[in-house]
Each structure stands twice: as structure tokens, then as C-alpha cells.
Amino acid sequence: MRLAALQAALVSAATGRDAPDAALFASVRAHRNASADERLAAYRANIKGAHLQALDMAYPVLREVLGPRYWRQLLEAELPFFGSPSPDLNAYGDFMPALLHDAQRQRPELRDLSYLEALATLEWQVHRARFAADDAAFDWDAFAMLPPETQASTRLLRSNALAVLQFDYPVDHIWRTHNGLDAGEDDDTGDSYCCVHRSGRFDVGVTQLDREEFEMLQSLGSTPIGELSGAGTDALAQQLFAWIQRSWITGFEVDD
């Protein structure tokens, strides 16, 4: 068995994608009192444990809401194999909202927890924000040098770590409550708007937005400054200035 084929077979068997084939067992010999299957099981246990730990780190609120024991049982039952497509386990777990969506249709005990998929979406964005690429500081001098008409046609760029989200359940309230933060008003009578943002090297916050703030932040990258709602008003200028100060807006783009 060639080395490349042996490595591929070992990864497949260790992640649970496929049952080990005879050629792999012939290459993984028994040692002392451990059979070939037992030696492979050690790799499986290590890989599975690392992936489960990565999901614990990415979804701490979901784990707390469902309870650690049920959370672990759910993952082990719903994940057919444990293998990240990326060597960085910080990138592992984006499938959780879809996994919960499917699990809720099949598991009666989850059907009343209609917010689980939304909470998973929020938690993944919080996790993603911690490891998003760093942004350059907003270049005030370069922006000030633009002619007024060019400034009006400029589009503002949001931080790599910023995510603007809309939910039909106030899962941002749940997230802040479980993180010991001021949860704000719990209004479940309509859509909930929030943004995920990085406030330090690895510190991530979730801030409630009103609908106007949500729509403006969502449209920044595609709408020139001069076409934003309220363009030309002091209130808009103050709002944009505040977002730049918070590093929610980190740059601008001038069309050629």
C-alpha cells in the first residue's frame, strides 16, 4: 500500500468516514496487547474528542441551554463523522444551524425550542468574529482629501469581524443573559435586529439595533454615502462617525 493511499485510508478510518479496509489493517500491526483495531480506536478517540471540544468552544450558550450531557449525545448522534475540511479547528462548526434545523424536525423534545437554529447562527458569528482577519484603521486623512462629490459616491466598508443579523426571536437577549451581560429589553413581539462586533483582540460583543440602523449597516457596502437614508443630515454624519470610532466601519471604497 503506497504511503499516500495509506494516509488517506487512515484519515478516513480515524474520522469515521469509512470502515477500515483490509489493506489498512495489514499496515497497522498489533503491538504488545493492543490489536490493530484498538490502535486505530486511539486515533478515532483523539480526533473525535478534538472536534467535540471545538464545538463546545464555538457554541457555549447552546451547550448550556441544552445541557452538556444532551448536547454531547446530540452531536454524537447527528454527526456521521468527525473531520474538519480545514486544518484549523476554529473554522469547524458552521454546519450547526442546519444540523439543529434537521434535528428539530426529527426530535420531539426539541420542537418547542424554536429559537435553537437562530441561536446557533448568532453563536457562530460570535465565534467567527474572534478569528476574523484584522482590519486596517480608517484612513481619515485620505478620506478628507477626497472632493465632496467623490465623498458622496464613496461606499463605506464594514469590519471583517462585523455581522448584521435579523431574527424572529430575540436570541441576542439569550446570548447576553448567558454571558452575564445586560440583556436589554426582551421584546419578542417582532423581528429582532443586532450586530456582532469585535471590541478587543478576542472580545466580541452583540449590540441591539433598531430597524433603521440594521438596514443602514446592511447597505453600507453597496450604497454610496450620498444615497444613504438621511444623507446630508447631521444625525447621519454622527451615526457614521460613531461606527467608525467603534471600528464597525474600517475603510471606504471609491468607484473608478
Side-chain angles (χ1 to χ4, degrees):
M1 195 174 190
R2 293 181 176 275
L3 178 60
L6 176 62
Q7 290 172 330
L10 178 60
V11 169
S12 183
T15 59
R17 290 175 182 269
D18 297 297
D21 59 25
L24 179 61
F25 274 125
S27 300
V28 181
R29 299 180 179 87
H31 180 68
R32 294 181 181 175
N33 295 324
S35 66
D37 189 56
E38 288 172 333
R39 296 185 71 190
L40 281 172
Y43 286 97
R44 294 191 197 100
N46 287 338
I47 290 173
K48 179 179 177 180
H51 284 72
L52 288 172
Q53 186 176 28
L55 294 175
D56 288 347
M57 296 292 290
Y59 296 98
V61 177
L62 267 175
R63 182 175 182 270
E64 186 175 346
V65 167
L66 293 174
R69 179 177 297 179
Y70 184 87
W71 166 251
R72 181 58 59 90
Q73 291 173 347
L74 176 68
L75 295 179
E76 293 191 1
E78 297 295 333
L79 292 174
F81 60 86
F82 292 89
S84 173
S86 169
D88 181 4
L89 282 183
N90 291 319
Y92 178 71
D94 61 337
F95 53 79
M96 189 57 63
L99 183 150
L100 288 170
H101 176 81
D102 292 340
Q104 282 187 283
R105 293 188 300 177
Q106 300 168 14
R107 294 173 173 262
E109 71 271 19
L110 295 179
R111 287 174 189 163
D112 290 337
L113 304 178
S114 58
Y115 59 85
L116 287 180
E117 182 181 351
L119 180 57
T121 299
L122 174 60
E123 279 215 275
W124 180 251
Q125 292 302 325
V126 169
H127 178 73
R128 187 201 66 83
R130 288 195 174 94
F131 302 99
D134 291 337
D135 299 293
F138 190 89
D139 193 339
W140 286 104
D141 292 337
F143 186 77
M145 290 177 64
L146 296 175
E149 63 275 11
T150 304
Q151 287 186 0
S153 64
T154 294
R155 288 174 288 109
L156 296 170
L157 304 178
R158 300 185 331 213
S159 165
N160 291 316
L162 189 79
V164 185
L165 303 168
Q166 176 183 1
F167 300 111
D168 58 7
Y169 193 94
V171 290
D172 54 318
H173 180 94
I174 295 174
W175 185 89
R176 283 191 294 270
T177 298
H178 280 267
N179 281 278
L181 303 173
D182 179 10
E185 297 182 6
D186 183 9
D187 181 7
D188 60 0
T189 58
D191 288 348
S192 175
Y193 306 98
C194 65
C195 72
V196 175
H197 53 87
R198 196 160 61 199
S199 53
R201 184 63 188 90
F202 292 107
D203 294 330
V204 177
V206 176
T207 297
Q208 286 181 310
L209 303 172
D210 60 33
R211 183 179 183 126
E212 185 177 353
E213 291 171 329
F214 166 81
E215 292 176 347
M216 189 182 301
L217 274 172
Q218 198 175 42
S219 67
L220 283 184
S222 59
T223 305
I225 294 175
E227 296 178 18
L228 291 173
S229 175
T233 67
D234 290 341
L236 175 65
Q238 290 172 3
Q239 182 69 86
L240 295 177
F241 180 73
W243 286 343
I244 293 171
Q245 283 192 312
R246 296 177 200 166
S247 297
W248 294 9
I249 296 172
T250 56
F252 59 90
E253 193 168 66
V254 180
D255 291 333
D256 295 333

